[in-house]
Amino acid sequence: MDDLIKDHAARVRAVDPLVAGQDELHGKGEWLEVRDAVGLASTDRLDPDSLQATWSPLVVHRLQARVAGPDPETALGAVLDRWLARRRPDGPEQALSVSWPSRDTAPVKALALRGFMPVAAVAARRILPHTPAAPVPDVAVRRANQDDLDVVTGMYRRLIDYDAQFGWVTARASTTERLRESVAKEVLPLEWCRLAEVAGRVAGCVIVQPPTRTRWISSSVNAAPVAYLGTMYVEPAARGHGVGVALTDAAHDHAAAEGVTSMVLHHALPNPLSTPFWARRGYRPLFTQWIRHLP
Ligand SMILES: CC(C)(COP(=O)(O)OP(=O)(O)OC[C@H]1O[C@@H](n2cnc3c(N)ncnc32)[C@H](O)[C@@H]1OP(=O)(O)O)[C@@H](O)C(=O)NCCC(=O)NCCS
């Protein structure tokens, strides 16, 4: 099995040296072994009142898989079939999720043929040493402070409502309250939150987790230090005038000044605004999340 995982990691490294963490399976779960593939299956059951429950359905069955041999698609298909045969939906809001290195395309047809669809990408870009970007005319970017609690919470909530359209993020009764707590206790005191103003009115915001808070994702990126751009939102009336560009430049400038070398983020792949926006800002996919909702 060690050789199989090593072969998997070598194939992924050859197509994307920026992907890390493929030479082991992480965490606890049920082991699945088939010819040329191994998997670790686990299930997350979320409290609907938790903030985490905003980011996915309530029950998410996850499979980590490592595949090798001459036919990676068949190997992935076999371990998926073993996993799917054991899954029995036992309540509402159940989904399956498999995260796969985006550039390791050889096996992924096995996911498509079993009804999985790509819903989100983890994307990354290099942060170059500090070179301040040219200011965007008429857009002022400033640091958010505790007085901005309501305005940041409101934009964060509108971002979730926008993202929820794509079928994974889910707004809940407690979402606004949990967001407000998170903005007050974590975002404003501990993270890098910037607001954009147009004619003196707040028009957008960006929130970045500094490297001290990105251990949950930095182990999947072969670069360090890593910051995580978790939130970007521009009010609909202000879109298309450079506000998003000004916020992104400010986030990159600050990260560079703090010694960050790589910025990562998630975006919904069906999002017609963010997908081209992030690609144009230099981000490229690292992992693709394939999902299937269970009836
Ligand atoms: C994605 C989103 C943040 C983009 O914000 P935006 O303010 O509309 O983006 P911008 O206006 O800065 O950039 C859009 C285009 O306008 C261009 N633009 C227009 N005027 C400009 C100016 N004065 N200066 C610079 N760029 C300008 C940009 O170059 C860009 O085009 P390009 O990507 O071809 O280079 C915004 O659409 C949004 O909030 N969407 C809903 C929520 C969302 O999807 N968030 C992202 C979650 S991951």
Side-chain angles (χ1 to χ4, degrees):
M1 191 207 311
D2 285 354
D3 284 348
L4 187 161
I5 293 179
K6 272 189 204 142
D7 287 354
H8 167 95
R11 188 190 66 254
V12 173
R13 201 164 34 249
V15 290
D16 194 349
L18 198 55
V19 168
Q22 294 296 299
D23 40 13
E24 55 186 336
L25 286 163
H26 310 269
K28 292 193 182 122
E30 181 190 357
W31 281 86
L32 305 171
E33 282 186 56
V34 295
R35 190 184 168 86
D36 287 338
V38 290
L40 186 62
S42 59
T43 299
D44 294 341
R45 293 178 193 278
L46 305 177
D47 171 358
D49 274 340
S50 66
L51 181 55
Q52 217 192 338
T54 294
W55 301 120
S56 72
L58 289 180
V59 181
V60 183
H61 304 281
R62 298 183 189 277
L63 178 72
Q64 292 175 62
R66 305 290 182 256
V67 304
D71 187 350
E73 180 199 330
T74 299
L76 179 59
V79 74
L80 285 170
D81 288 341
R82 177 72 60 88
W83 180 49
L84 294 171
R86 290 176 185 217
R87 295 275 71 79
R88 294 275 175 276
D90 53 5
E93 259 200 63
Q94 306 246 338
L96 307 168
S97 176
V98 178
S99 176
W100 204 261
S102 304
R103 292 185 177 180
D104 183 32
T105 51
V108 296
K109 190 173 169 188
L111 287 156
L113 292 184
R114 286 160 183 79
F116 286 77
M117 65 172 185
V119 75
V122 174
R125 68 157 270 168
R126 201 171 284 132
I127 298 293
L128 298 171
H130 197 204
T131 44
V136 176
D138 306 323
V139 181
V141 178
R142 69 167 173 85
R143 197 176 159 161
N145 59 56
Q146 287 293 338
D147 293 339
D148 299 307
L149 176 58
D150 288 341
V151 88
V152 174
T153 305
M155 285 190 285
Y156 209 153
R157 172 59 206 238
R158 290 191 283 284
L159 168 63
I160 280 160
D161 289 340
Y162 189 81
D163 250 347
Q165 298 176 106
F166 308 113
W168 191 250
V169 168
T170 313
R172 305 194 182 275
S174 60
T175 291
T176 302
E177 203 182 322
R178 293 291 96 80
L179 286 175
R180 201 180 153 80
E181 291 163 3
S182 165
V183 171
K185 292 190 192 135
E186 297 177 277
V187 171
L188 293 173
L190 304 175
E191 301 184 355
W192 302 332
C193 180
R194 298 288 181 273
L195 298 179
E197 292 181 340
V198 177
R201 289 178 66 122
V202 175
C205 84
V206 63
I207 302 171
V208 176
Q209 290 184 339
T212 49
R213 293 175 61 74
T214 58
R215 209 172 316 156
W216 64 276
I217 195 157
S218 61
S219 56
S220 49
V221 189
N222 218 350
V226 169
Y228 177 75
L229 198 157
T231 304
M232 164 70 87
Y233 183 79
V234 173
E235 299 290 6
R239 289 177 195 161
H241 300 289
V243 174
V245 168
L247 285 166
T248 309
D249 288 347
H252 291 168
D253 282 355
H254 184 71
E258 294 290 325
V260 167
T261 60
S262 190
M263 185 76 83
V264 292
L265 52 80
H266 279 87
H267 68 86
L269 286 166
N271 183 331
L273 300 176
S274 66
T275 298
F277 179 82
W278 291 124
R280 297 272 291 155
R281 308 279 85 73
Y283 287 82
R284 58 83 160 176
L286 203 61
F287 288 90
T288 302
Q289 184 189 8
W290 294 75
I291 61 131
R292 194 173 110 186
H293 290 280
L294 296 177

